[in-house]
Amino acid sequence: MGRQPLVAALAALAALALPAVAVAGSGGFAPPEPASPSAERIADIYWLILAFAGLVLLLVVVPLVLFAVRFRNRGGDRDVEGPQIRGNTNLEVAWTLVPVVILFVVGAFVFYKLPGITDPARAQDGRPVEVTVEGRQFYWRYVYDGGEVAIDRLRLPLGVEAELRLTAPEHDVLHSWWANELTGKRDTIPGQGTTIRIVPTREGAFTVRCGEFCGVQHSAMLGAVEVVPEDEFRRWLDERREQQLAGSPELGEELWTGACAKCHGEDVAGELAPPLQGNPVLRDADALRDVVVTGPGEMPPVGRGWTDGELDALTAYLRENLAGGTGGDGGEDGEGDGG
Ligand code: CUA
C-alpha cells in the first residue's frame, strides 16, 4: 500500500517535467513581443482571457485538492452516507451569474479591440504600401503594387501602413499567412482575396509561418517579414525592380531557394523531388519555363503566373550556378512523372 502512492506521485512529477520543457521551448506562456498595434491588441485579449482562465482553474483545483484531503476515506464503513443537502439558492444564483458575467466581459473586450486589429491604420494619412501575398506550394510570393516580386521574405517600411491582399492561385490549395508578432492568422484562398492591414512599429525580422496544412512541404513555408527604415525599403524596392527588369541572378537565387530547392535540394541532389544534376532543362530557358509553368507529374506548377523577369532571373541563376553540372547521376527525366 505504501509504495503505490509514492510511485504515483513520482510519476506525476516526472510528467510535469514534459509541459515545462514544452513551455520553455515555445518561449513561455506569453505571446511574442508585439511589433505592431494589431499584435498588441491580440496580446491584450490573450492576457485578459488568461487571467480569467487562471482564476477559474484556481477556483476549481484548490477546493478539489482540499476536499480530497479533508474528506478522504479514513478507513470508515463505505456504506455510511453523508448528510443529505438539498438546494442553496445563493450558491446556485452565484454559479450561474458569475460565468455569465465573465463571458460577457471577455466578449465585450474582444469586440472593443477587434476593429483596431483588423484595421489599425484608420487614423493615419499617407499612402499604404500595397502587397499581394500569394500562398503557393510551397513558398510565399509577394508582389508589390509596382510589380516588384519577393520570395519568402517580405520587406516592409517601419511605421508605414501596409495593406496585404492575401490570395492563392486558382490551381493551388489553402495556405494561411501567419506572422504572429504583427497580426493574426489569415487564410490565403485560391482565386479569392482578403485584405489585412498592419503598421509595423518595430524593426527586425519576424517569422512567417504557414498555418494551414497544405502538402508535404507545409513546414518549409517558413519566411519572414523584415521591417526596415523607409529609405532603406525604398532603396531595396528600386534595386529589386532593376533586378527584375534585368532578369538578374540575385532574384533567381531567391526563386530557386524558395520555389525549387525545398523539394529538389539546395545542391540539386534531390530530396522529396528527383535530383537534377546534369538535367538539360536547367540550361534550356524554354524547357525550364515549360516545366515550372505546367508542373509535370507530381510537381506543383510553381512558376505559373511568374513574370518574364522572374523566369529570366531563374534561368540566369541556374546557368551561373547549377547547370554546369557535375554531369552526375541525375535522371534525364528527373522533373517528371513522380512516383
Ligand atoms: Cu502552405 Cu501549409
Side-chain angles (χ1 to χ4, degrees), residues 87-126:
N88 185 324
T89 308
N90 288 344
L91 260 183
E92 286 162 23
V93 169
W95 74 50
T96 306
L97 278 187
V98 170
V100 169
V101 170
I102 290 178
L103 290 180
F104 180 81
V105 170
V106 169
F109 191 72
V110 169
F111 279 105
Y112 166 68
K113 290 284 186 184
L114 206 50
I117 293 174
T118 51
D119 194 5
R122 198 167 281 164
Q124 192 179 329
D125 7 306

mmCIF file of all heavy atoms in Angstrom, residues 87-126:
data_model
loop_
_atom_site.group_PDB
_atom_site.id
_atom_site.type_symbol
_atom_site.label_atom_id
_atom_site.label_comp_id
_atom_site.label_asym_id
_atom_site.label_seq_id
_atom_site.Cartn_x
_atom_site.Cartn_y
_atom_site.Cartn_z
ATOM 1 N N GLY A 87 -30.450 21.955 -2.158
ATOM 2 C CA GLY A 87 -30.730 23.340 -2.519
ATOM 3 C C GLY A 87 -29.925 24.349 -1.735
ATOM 4 O O GLY A 87 -29.667 24.200 -0.545
ATOM 5 N N ASN A 88 -29.424 25.375 -2.466
ATOM 6 C CA ASN A 88 -28.787 26.528 -1.840
ATOM 7 C C ASN A 88 -28.921 27.670 -2.829
ATOM 8 O O ASN A 88 -28.131 27.795 -3.763
ATOM 9 C CB ASN A 88 -27.317 26.234 -1.528
ATOM 10 C CG ASN A 88 -26.684 27.388 -0.754
ATOM 11 O OD1 ASN A 88 -27.005 28.553 -0.995
ATOM 12 N ND2 ASN A 88 -25.815 27.057 0.182
ATOM 13 N N THR A 89 -29.959 28.464 -2.661
ATOM 14 C CA THR A 89 -30.321 29.464 -3.675
ATOM 15 C C THR A 89 -29.165 30.420 -3.961
ATOM 16 O O THR A 89 -28.846 30.676 -5.117
ATOM 17 C CB THR A 89 -31.552 30.260 -3.213
ATOM 18 O OG1 THR A 89 -32.560 29.326 -2.852
ATOM 19 C CG2 THR A 89 -32.066 31.137 -4.347
ATOM 20 N N ASN A 90 -28.527 30.924 -2.919
ATOM 21 C CA ASN A 90 -27.447 31.888 -3.138
ATOM 22 C C ASN A 90 -26.331 31.298 -3.988
ATOM 23 O O ASN A 90 -25.866 31.912 -4.952
ATOM 24 C CB ASN A 90 -26.882 32.352 -1.800
ATOM 25 C CG ASN A 90 -27.854 33.261 -1.073
ATOM 26 O OD1 ASN A 90 -28.795 33.770 -1.703
ATOM 27 N ND2 ASN A 90 -27.662 33.436 0.211
ATOM 28 N N LEU A 91 -25.888 30.088 -3.633
ATOM 29 C CA LEU A 91 -24.823 29.423 -4.395
ATOM 30 C C LEU A 91 -25.241 29.234 -5.850
ATOM 31 O O LEU A 91 -24.470 29.508 -6.774
ATOM 32 C CB LEU A 91 -24.517 28.067 -3.770
ATOM 33 C CG LEU A 91 -23.295 27.976 -2.850
ATOM 34 C CD1 LEU A 91 -23.109 26.537 -2.383
ATOM 35 C CD2 LEU A 91 -22.053 28.441 -3.601
ATOM 36 N N GLU A 92 -26.473 28.765 -6.046
ATOM 37 C CA GLU A 92 -26.910 28.452 -7.405
ATOM 38 C C GLU A 92 -26.999 29.707 -8.263
ATOM 39 O O GLU A 92 -26.622 29.707 -9.439
ATOM 40 C CB GLU A 92 -28.256 27.717 -7.369
ATOM 41 C CG GLU A 92 -28.093 26.266 -6.909
ATOM 42 C CD GLU A 92 -29.392 25.622 -6.443
ATOM 43 O OE1 GLU A 92 -30.460 26.112 -6.866
ATOM 44 O OE2 GLU A 92 -29.332 24.655 -5.663
ATOM 45 N N VAL A 93 -27.478 30.797 -7.671
ATOM 46 C CA VAL A 93 -27.531 32.065 -8.413
ATOM 47 C C VAL A 93 -26.103 32.522 -8.738
ATOM 48 O O VAL A 93 -25.804 32.932 -9.858
ATOM 49 C CB VAL A 93 -28.273 33.137 -7.590
ATOM 50 C CG1 VAL A 93 -28.094 34.512 -8.229
ATOM 51 C CG2 VAL A 93 -29.754 32.803 -7.513
ATOM 52 N N ALA A 94 -25.210 32.373 -7.763
ATOM 53 C CA ALA A 94 -23.832 32.835 -7.963
ATOM 54 C C ALA A 94 -23.158 32.057 -9.093
ATOM 55 O O ALA A 94 -22.560 32.648 -9.990
ATOM 56 C CB ALA A 94 -23.048 32.692 -6.661
ATOM 57 N N TRP A 95 -23.261 30.724 -9.089
ATOM 58 C CA TRP A 95 -22.517 29.990 -10.118
ATOM 59 C C TRP A 95 -23.200 30.038 -11.477
ATOM 60 O O TRP A 95 -22.692 29.513 -12.447
ATOM 61 C CB TRP A 95 -22.127 28.590 -9.652
ATOM 62 C CG TRP A 95 -23.196 27.527 -9.566
ATOM 63 C CD1 TRP A 95 -24.100 27.187 -10.508
ATOM 64 C CD2 TRP A 95 -23.390 26.628 -8.475
ATOM 65 N NE1 TRP A 95 -24.863 26.150 -10.081
ATOM 66 C CE2 TRP A 95 -24.456 25.772 -8.825
ATOM 67 C CE3 TRP A 95 -22.777 26.449 -7.223
ATOM 68 C CZ2 TRP A 95 -24.913 24.774 -7.977
ATOM 69 C CZ3 TRP A 95 -23.243 25.444 -6.398
ATOM 70 C CH2 TRP A 95 -24.302 24.619 -6.760
ATOM 71 N N THR A 96 -24.367 30.631 -11.549
ATOM 72 C CA THR A 96 -24.945 30.920 -12.861
ATOM 73 C C THR A 96 -24.517 32.318 -13.331
ATOM 74 O O THR A 96 -24.114 32.494 -14.483
ATOM 75 C CB THR A 96 -26.489 30.868 -12.792
ATOM 76 O OG1 THR A 96 -26.862 29.600 -12.241
ATOM 77 C CG2 THR A 96 -27.096 31.022 -14.167
ATOM 78 N N LEU A 97 -24.600 33.273 -12.412
ATOM 79 C CA LEU A 97 -24.326 34.656 -12.808
ATOM 80 C C LEU A 97 -22.842 34.920 -13.086
ATOM 81 O O LEU A 97 -22.497 35.611 -14.041
ATOM 82 C CB LEU A 97 -24.822 35.620 -11.721
ATOM 83 C CG LEU A 97 -26.310 35.958 -11.764
ATOM 84 C CD1 LEU A 97 -26.638 37.051 -10.756
ATOM 85 C CD2 LEU A 97 -26.734 36.394 -13.171
ATOM 86 N N VAL A 98 -21.976 34.357 -12.261
ATOM 87 C CA VAL A 98 -20.542 34.652 -12.423
ATOM 88 C C VAL A 98 -20.016 34.253 -13.808
ATOM 89 O O VAL A 98 -19.386 35.065 -14.489
ATOM 90 C CB VAL A 98 -19.719 34.013 -11.273
ATOM 91 C CG1 VAL A 98 -18.226 34.091 -11.566
ATOM 92 C CG2 VAL A 98 -20.038 34.716 -9.961
ATOM 93 N N PRO A 99 -20.315 33.017 -14.279
ATOM 94 C CA PRO A 99 -19.851 32.688 -15.643
ATOM 95 C C PRO A 99 -20.457 33.602 -16.707
ATOM 96 O O PRO A 99 -19.785 33.968 -17.669
ATOM 97 C CB PRO A 99 -20.326 31.249 -15.843
ATOM 98 C CG PRO A 99 -20.482 30.702 -14.477
ATOM 99 C CD PRO A 99 -20.915 31.856 -13.619
ATOM 100 N N VAL A 100 -21.741 33.985 -16.510
ATOM 101 C CA VAL A 100 -22.370 34.887 -17.478
ATOM 102 C C VAL A 100 -21.600 36.213 -17.529
ATOM 103 O O VAL A 100 -21.292 36.732 -18.606
ATOM 104 C CB VAL A 100 -23.855 35.135 -17.119
ATOM 105 C CG1 VAL A 100 -24.421 36.278 -17.948
ATOM 106 C CG2 VAL A 100 -24.667 33.870 -17.345
ATOM 107 N N VAL A 101 -21.269 36.730 -16.358
ATOM 108 C CA VAL A 101 -20.547 37.996 -16.306
ATOM 109 C C VAL A 101 -19.161 37.855 -16.946
ATOM 110 O O VAL A 101 -18.731 38.696 -17.738
ATOM 111 C CB VAL A 101 -20.431 38.492 -14.841
ATOM 112 C CG1 VAL A 101 -19.480 39.680 -14.750
ATOM 113 C CG2 VAL A 101 -21.804 38.871 -14.308
ATOM 114 N N ILE A 102 -18.471 36.756 -16.622
ATOM 115 C CA ILE A 102 -17.127 36.542 -17.196
ATOM 116 C C ILE A 102 -17.204 36.498 -18.720
ATOM 117 O O ILE A 102 -16.451 37.186 -19.421
ATOM 118 C CB ILE A 102 -16.510 35.230 -16.660
ATOM 119 C CG1 ILE A 102 -16.163 35.378 -15.172
ATOM 120 C CG2 ILE A 102 -15.250 34.863 -17.448
ATOM 121 C CD1 ILE A 102 -15.589 34.127 -14.533
ATOM 122 N N LEU A 103 -18.140 35.702 -19.245
ATOM 123 C CA LEU A 103 -18.253 35.586 -20.704
ATOM 124 C C LEU A 103 -18.621 36.936 -21.325
ATOM 125 O O LEU A 103 -18.119 37.297 -22.394
ATOM 126 C CB LEU A 103 -19.290 34.521 -21.080
ATOM 127 C CG LEU A 103 -18.863 33.084 -20.775
ATOM 128 C CD1 LEU A 103 -19.946 32.103 -21.189
ATOM 129 C CD2 LEU A 103 -17.556 32.741 -21.490
ATOM 130 N N PHE A 104 -19.469 37.689 -20.636
ATOM 131 C CA PHE A 104 -19.857 38.992 -21.168
ATOM 132 C C PHE A 104 -18.646 39.931 -21.210
ATOM 133 O O PHE A 104 -18.408 40.611 -22.210
ATOM 134 C CB PHE A 104 -20.972 39.614 -20.322
ATOM 135 C CG PHE A 104 -21.393 40.957 -20.838
ATOM 136 C CD1 PHE A 104 -22.274 41.058 -21.914
ATOM 137 C CD2 PHE A 104 -20.896 42.128 -20.271
ATOM 138 C CE1 PHE A 104 -22.646 42.294 -22.410
ATOM 139 C CE2 PHE A 104 -21.266 43.377 -20.756
ATOM 140 C CZ PHE A 104 -22.142 43.459 -21.828
ATOM 141 N N VAL A 105 -17.862 39.951 -20.151
ATOM 142 C CA VAL A 105 -16.681 40.821 -20.105
ATOM 143 C C VAL A 105 -15.689 40.444 -21.213
ATOM 144 O O VAL A 105 -15.191 41.301 -21.947
ATOM 145 C CB VAL A 105 -16.010 40.753 -18.717
ATOM 146 C CG1 VAL A 105 -14.656 41.455 -18.738
ATOM 147 C CG2 VAL A 105 -16.911 41.380 -17.666
ATOM 148 N N VAL A 106 -15.432 39.126 -21.344
ATOM 149 C CA VAL A 106 -14.486 38.678 -22.380
ATOM 150 C C VAL A 106 -14.997 39.066 -23.770
ATOM 151 O O VAL A 106 -14.268 39.628 -24.590
ATOM 152 C CB VAL A 106 -14.253 37.153 -22.281
ATOM 153 C CG1 VAL A 106 -13.510 36.633 -23.504
ATOM 154 C CG2 VAL A 106 -13.477 36.821 -21.017
ATOM 155 N N GLY A 107 -16.288 38.780 -24.015
ATOM 156 C CA GLY A 107 -16.867 39.091 -25.329
ATOM 157 C C GLY A 107 -16.810 40.579 -25.622
ATOM 158 O O GLY A 107 -16.402 41.004 -26.709
ATOM 159 N N ALA A 108 -17.199 41.403 -24.648
ATOM 160 C CA ALA A 108 -17.208 42.849 -24.853
ATOM 161 C C ALA A 108 -15.794 43.361 -25.124
ATOM 162 O O ALA A 108 -15.572 44.186 -26.017
ATOM 163 C CB ALA A 108 -17.802 43.542 -23.624
ATOM 164 N N PHE A 109 -14.822 42.853 -24.386
ATOM 165 C CA PHE A 109 -13.433 43.291 -24.558
ATOM 166 C C PHE A 109 -12.918 42.938 -25.961
ATOM 167 O O PHE A 109 -12.271 43.742 -26.629
ATOM 168 C CB PHE A 109 -12.561 42.628 -23.483
ATOM 169 C CG PHE A 109 -11.173 43.191 -23.401
ATOM 170 C CD1 PHE A 109 -10.955 44.453 -22.872
ATOM 171 C CD2 PHE A 109 -10.082 42.466 -23.849
ATOM 172 C CE1 PHE A 109 -9.670 44.974 -22.785
ATOM 173 C CE2 PHE A 109 -8.803 42.984 -23.768
ATOM 174 C CZ PHE A 109 -8.598 44.244 -23.231
ATOM 175 N N VAL A 110 -13.248 41.713 -26.420
ATOM 176 C CA VAL A 110 -12.804 41.294 -27.762
ATOM 177 C C VAL A 110 -13.416 42.200 -28.826
ATOM 178 O O VAL A 110 -12.720 42.686 -29.725
ATOM 179 C CB VAL A 110 -13.180 39.817 -28.027
ATOM 180 C CG1 VAL A 110 -12.964 39.467 -29.492
ATOM 181 C CG2 VAL A 110 -12.351 38.891 -27.143
ATOM 182 N N PHE A 111 -14.718 42.477 -28.703
ATOM 183 C CA PHE A 111 -15.358 43.321 -29.724
ATOM 184 C C PHE A 111 -14.857 44.760 -29.664
ATOM 185 O O PHE A 111 -14.813 45.456 -30.667
ATOM 186 C CB PHE A 111 -16.883 43.257 -29.597
ATOM 187 C CG PHE A 111 -17.449 42.032 -30.252
ATOM 188 C CD1 PHE A 111 -17.899 40.971 -29.491
ATOM 189 C CD2 PHE A 111 -17.493 41.915 -31.636
ATOM 190 C CE1 PHE A 111 -18.395 39.823 -30.088
ATOM 191 C CE2 PHE A 111 -17.987 40.781 -32.258
ATOM 192 C CZ PHE A 111 -18.438 39.726 -31.475
ATOM 193 N N TYR A 112 -14.441 45.178 -28.466
ATOM 194 C CA TYR A 112 -13.862 46.515 -28.333
ATOM 195 C C TYR A 112 -12.506 46.585 -29.032
ATOM 196 O O TYR A 112 -12.161 47.566 -29.699
ATOM 197 C CB TYR A 112 -13.734 46.848 -26.844
ATOM 198 C CG TYR A 112 -12.857 48.023 -26.541
ATOM 199 C CD1 TYR A 112 -13.254 49.324 -26.922
ATOM 200 C CD2 TYR A 112 -11.638 47.869 -25.890
ATOM 201 C CE1 TYR A 112 -12.438 50.414 -26.650
ATOM 202 C CE2 TYR A 112 -10.826 48.950 -25.621
ATOM 203 C CZ TYR A 112 -11.229 50.218 -26.005
ATOM 204 O OH TYR A 112 -10.422 51.283 -25.744
ATOM 205 N N LYS A 113 -11.720 45.517 -28.940
ATOM 206 C CA LYS A 113 -10.366 45.508 -29.508
ATOM 207 C C LYS A 113 -10.348 45.186 -31.008
ATOM 208 O O LYS A 113 -9.417 45.541 -31.721
ATOM 209 C CB LYS A 113 -9.498 44.465 -28.780
ATOM 210 C CG LYS A 113 -9.150 44.846 -27.353
ATOM 211 C CD LYS A 113 -8.067 45.908 -27.347
ATOM 212 C CE LYS A 113 -7.577 46.211 -25.946
ATOM 213 N NZ LYS A 113 -6.595 47.300 -25.935
ATOM 214 N N LEU A 114 -11.375 44.471 -31.469
ATOM 215 C CA LEU A 114 -11.346 43.899 -32.816
ATOM 216 C C LEU A 114 -11.117 44.909 -33.947
ATOM 217 O O LEU A 114 -10.269 44.680 -34.814
ATOM 218 C CB LEU A 114 -12.631 43.105 -33.046
ATOM 219 C CG LEU A 114 -12.580 41.967 -34.067
ATOM 220 C CD1 LEU A 114 -11.398 41.061 -33.806
ATOM 221 C CD2 LEU A 114 -13.873 41.180 -34.009
ATOM 222 N N PRO A 115 -11.836 46.021 -33.985
ATOM 223 C CA PRO A 115 -11.644 46.937 -35.118
ATOM 224 C C PRO A 115 -10.187 47.389 -35.271
ATOM 225 O O PRO A 115 -9.689 47.516 -36.386
ATOM 226 C CB PRO A 115 -12.551 48.119 -34.773
ATOM 227 C CG PRO A 115 -13.536 47.593 -33.799
ATOM 228 C CD PRO A 115 -12.835 46.521 -33.033
ATOM 229 N N GLY A 116 -9.518 47.617 -34.158
ATOM 230 C CA GLY A 116 -8.134 48.058 -34.212
ATOM 231 C C GLY A 116 -7.165 46.963 -34.620
ATOM 232 O O GLY A 116 -6.016 47.229 -34.972
ATOM 233 N N ILE A 117 -7.609 45.698 -34.556
ATOM 234 C CA ILE A 117 -6.751 44.604 -35.005
ATOM 235 C C ILE A 117 -6.817 44.487 -36.518
ATOM 236 O O ILE A 117 -5.797 44.404 -37.196
ATOM 237 C CB ILE A 117 -7.191 43.274 -34.358
ATOM 238 C CG1 ILE A 117 -6.945 43.315 -32.852
ATOM 239 C CG2 ILE A 117 -6.452 42.102 -34.991
ATOM 240 C CD1 ILE A 117 -7.485 42.111 -32.101
ATOM 241 N N THR A 118 -8.030 44.515 -37.054
ATOM 242 C CA THR A 118 -8.180 44.291 -38.490
ATOM 243 C C THR A 118 -7.887 45.551 -39.300
ATOM 244 O O THR A 118 -7.511 45.470 -40.456
ATOM 245 C CB THR A 118 -9.605 43.802 -38.819
ATOM 246 O OG1 THR A 118 -10.531 44.698 -38.199
ATOM 247 C CG2 THR A 118 -9.831 42.414 -38.261
ATOM 248 N N ASP A 119 -8.049 46.706 -38.701
ATOM 249 C CA ASP A 119 -7.841 47.942 -39.445
ATOM 250 C C ASP A 119 -7.135 48.966 -38.560
ATOM 251 O O ASP A 119 -7.734 49.930 -38.106
ATOM 252 C CB ASP A 119 -9.195 48.482 -39.923
ATOM 253 C CG ASP A 119 -9.007 49.562 -40.972
ATOM 254 O OD1 ASP A 119 -7.853 49.810 -41.376
ATOM 255 O OD2 ASP A 119 -10.015 50.166 -41.376
ATOM 256 N N PRO A 120 -5.848 48.744 -38.309
ATOM 257 C CA PRO A 120 -5.149 49.521 -37.292
ATOM 258 C C PRO A 120 -4.784 50.920 -37.741
ATOM 259 O O PRO A 120 -4.403 51.748 -36.934
ATOM 260 C CB PRO A 120 -3.872 48.706 -37.064
ATOM 261 C CG PRO A 120 -3.618 48.062 -38.383
ATOM 262 C CD PRO A 120 -4.965 47.778 -38.973
ATOM 263 N N ALA A 121 -4.908 51.226 -39.035
ATOM 264 C CA ALA A 121 -4.262 52.434 -39.543
ATOM 265 C C ALA A 121 -5.253 53.517 -39.909
ATOM 266 O O ALA A 121 -4.917 54.456 -40.602
ATOM 267 C CB ALA A 121 -3.413 52.089 -40.749
ATOM 268 N N ARG A 122 -6.469 53.360 -39.451
ATOM 269 C CA ARG A 122 -7.517 54.262 -39.897
ATOM 270 C C ARG A 122 -7.131 55.726 -39.692
ATOM 271 O O ARG A 122 -7.422 56.571 -40.513
ATOM 272 C CB ARG A 122 -8.813 53.947 -39.147
ATOM 273 C CG ARG A 122 -10.026 54.497 -39.822
ATOM 274 C CD ARG A 122 -11.269 53.898 -39.212
ATOM 275 N NE ARG A 122 -11.523 52.544 -39.711
ATOM 276 C CZ ARG A 122 -12.352 51.694 -39.124
ATOM 277 N NH1 ARG A 122 -12.958 52.027 -38.016
ATOM 278 N NH2 ARG A 122 -12.553 50.515 -39.644
ATOM 279 N N ALA A 123 -6.441 56.013 -38.597
ATOM 280 C CA ALA A 123 -6.154 57.407 -38.270
ATOM 281 C C ALA A 123 -4.955 57.964 -39.044
ATOM 282 O O ALA A 123 -4.681 59.142 -39.005
ATOM 283 C CB ALA A 123 -5.865 57.534 -36.778
ATOM 284 N N GLN A 124 -4.274 57.097 -39.770
ATOM 285 C CA GLN A 124 -3.015 57.536 -40.367
ATOM 286 C C GLN A 124 -3.194 58.030 -41.793
ATOM 287 O O GLN A 124 -3.953 57.469 -42.567
ATOM 288 C CB GLN A 124 -2.056 56.346 -40.354
ATOM 289 C CG GLN A 124 -0.648 56.734 -40.661
ATOM 290 C CD GLN A 124 0.232 55.503 -40.614
ATOM 291 O OE1 GLN A 124 -0.005 54.579 -39.872
ATOM 292 N NE2 GLN A 124 1.237 55.493 -41.467
ATOM 293 N N ASP A 125 -2.501 59.091 -42.157
ATOM 294 C CA ASP A 125 -2.579 59.525 -43.551
ATOM 295 C C ASP A 125 -1.387 58.972 -44.318
ATOM 296 O O ASP A 125 -0.520 58.325 -43.768
ATOM 297 C CB ASP A 125 -2.608 61.047 -43.683
ATOM 298 C CG ASP A 125 -2.372 61.740 -42.365
ATOM 299 O OD1 ASP A 125 -3.116 61.417 -41.428
ATOM 300 O OD2 ASP A 125 -1.440 62.568 -42.270
ATOM 301 N N GLY A 126 -1.376 59.272 -45.587
ATOM 302 C CA GLY A 126 -0.294 58.749 -46.420
ATOM 303 C C GLY A 126 -0.717 57.472 -47.096
ATOM 304 O O GLY A 126 -1.604 56.766 -46.627
#
